[in-house]
Amino acid sequence: MTMETEEILIEKVIKSRRIDEVIDVNNFKEEYRKLFKRIHPDICKHPKASIASSKLLELKDKFENGVTLKDESGNFNYKGMDTVYSGDFDFLKTSYANYNKLMGFYDKASENFKKYLPKTMSFSGNTLNVKYNHRCLPLTGLTLPQEHVNWIFSRMLEYAAWMEQQGYAHCGINPESIFVIPENHGIQVSSFYMMTKLGTKPEGISGMYQTWYPPKLFSTKKADASIDVELCTKTAIYLLGDKSGTGIKLKKDASINQPILEFLIASHDSSLTAFKEYRELLGKHFAKRFIPLDL
């Protein structure tokens, strides 16, 4: 831990989103003890010492215990490179079986697209443990600048196109099932509860995001590629700041590229063709460059 002035240190703690931004977690206990002692209001007389101490406790809890959210199966807890699902056991077994099915594809394209799948999945009693190759976090609750949403959507659509090539629809793409890797602009698809073979009756739909599915699904009752495209576009709109997924509130937002928004709002029958069209549209409106994502 560097010896910043009290004012700089306290402001740094208050603005931090992860504890590794203020201490060396390789020596966590000792570094945390030193920092907490230094900014504690009983010792530090800075007017924001109490706020900084509370924030440091919050960061410590997140580092040690992770964050718990809910998805279709129930509760899941994510922390760094691990997620533990402790919800409905039948859902978890289905997700595990579908993950192994995808990992069992050995064609050339699949070997490349497995980068979007977790490193491992394994059961410990009734909980499903998911491990990743990188630190990642779910899209739940996030609102991001368009430059970041552009590449996250591109990754999701590319994953959906691979699923279509394999003859499946994921049927559950949403902010809880997609995790983002900030450091390398990657994504991880973390759950597979509703994966369905194309042309067959869907295994289920997300009750949390029921309105995000294409209307024809409820009349045909058959899985097709349009389901995943629709869920990808709704998730992108969600990330842009419209949590309804409709995109209507973004139409007068000057910070949103309107041709891209129109593409997201429109219907698309195939992930494969939508991905190609989107990449062409993206190239017309945005320069290709890496923009760091600080999460």
Side-chain angles (χ1 to χ4, degrees), residues 4-27:
E4 290 105 335
T5 65
E6 286 183 352
E7 183 174 2
I8 292 175
L9 186 58
I10 283 174
E11 289 298 329
K12 187 176 180 180
V13 170
I14 290 172
K15 293 177 181 178
S16 294
R17 285 176 286 189
R18 306 190 312 274
I19 204 163
D20 62 357
E21 294 176 355
V22 290
I23 65 171
D24 179 4
V25 295
N26 293 316
N27 190 21

Side-chain angles (χ1 to χ4, degrees), residues 241-258:
D242 185 346
K243 301 309 180 188
S244 73
T246 64
I248 294 173
K249 65 179 288 187
L250 302 176
K251 286 191 172 184
K252 295 183 179 180
D253 188 333
S255 69
I256 304 299
N257 179 278
Q258 293 302 308

Side-chain angles (χ1 to χ4, degrees), residues 258-275:
Q258 293 302 308
I260 296 289
L261 179 62
E262 289 302 322
F263 179 90
L264 296 176
I265 292 174
S267 297
H268 306 275
D269 291 331
S270 166
S271 304
L272 291 162
T273 56
F275 177 69

Side-chain angles (χ1 to χ4, degrees), residues 157-282:
L157 203 55
E158 192 176 28
Y159 165 76
W162 172 58
M163 291 286 287
E164 183 180 349
Q165 284 181 312
Q166 299 303 323
Y168 286 89
H170 183 278
C171 291
I173 293 171
N174 57 53
E176 282 69 54
S177 67
I178 304 296
F179 283 51
V180 61
I181 306 171
E183 286 74 18
N184 68 7
H185 284 192
I187 64 166
Q188 295 278 268
V189 184
S190 196
S191 57
F192 309 88
Y193 309 126
M194 300 155 194
M195 194 174 101
T196 303
K197 193 169 183 61
L198 295 177
T200 67
K201 184 179 179 180
E203 296 296 327
I205 63 170
S206 169
M208 296 169 64
Y209 298 100
Q210 184 174 346
T211 59
W212 285 19
Y213 289 84
K216 69 177 181 179
L217 169 64
F218 301 98
S219 58
T220 65
K221 294 183 171 57
K222 287 186 178 181
D224 64 36
S226 69
I227 296 173
D228 283 351
V229 188
E230 192 84 358
L231 295 176
C232 286
T233 58
K234 299 293 188 186
T235 302
I237 291 170
Y238 172 103
L239 289 174
L240 288 171
D242 185 346
K243 301 309 180 188
S244 73
T246 64
I248 294 173
K249 65 179 288 187
L250 302 176
K251 286 191 172 184
K252 295 183 179 180
D253 188 333
S255 69
I256 304 299
N257 179 278
Q258 293 302 308
I260 296 289
L261 179 62
E262 289 302 322
F263 179 90
L264 296 176
I265 292 174
S267 297
H268 306 275
D269 291 331
S270 166
S271 304
L272 291 162
T273 56
F275 177 69
K276 181 180 179 181
E277 291 171 8
Y278 171 69
R279 295 299 299 180
E280 291 175 354
L281 182 63
L282 193 62

Side-chain angles (χ1 to χ4, degrees), residues 63-110:
F63 176 77
E64 293 183 325
N65 301 312
V67 176
T68 298
L69 297 171
K70 288 184 179 291
D71 73 352
E72 298 304 318
S73 75
N75 289 340
F76 68 96
N77 178 278
Y78 72 92
K79 182 172 64 172
M81 296 168 64
D82 301 272
T83 301
V84 177
Y85 292 84
S86 56
D88 184 282
F89 190 54
D90 287 335
F91 270 76
L92 300 185
K93 287 192 295 183
T94 297
S95 186
Y96 177 71
N98 285 330
Y99 165 77
N100 284 319
K101 185 178 293 183
L102 294 176
M103 291 295 285
F105 294 139
Y106 292 106
D107 57 281
K108 187 175 181 179
S110 295

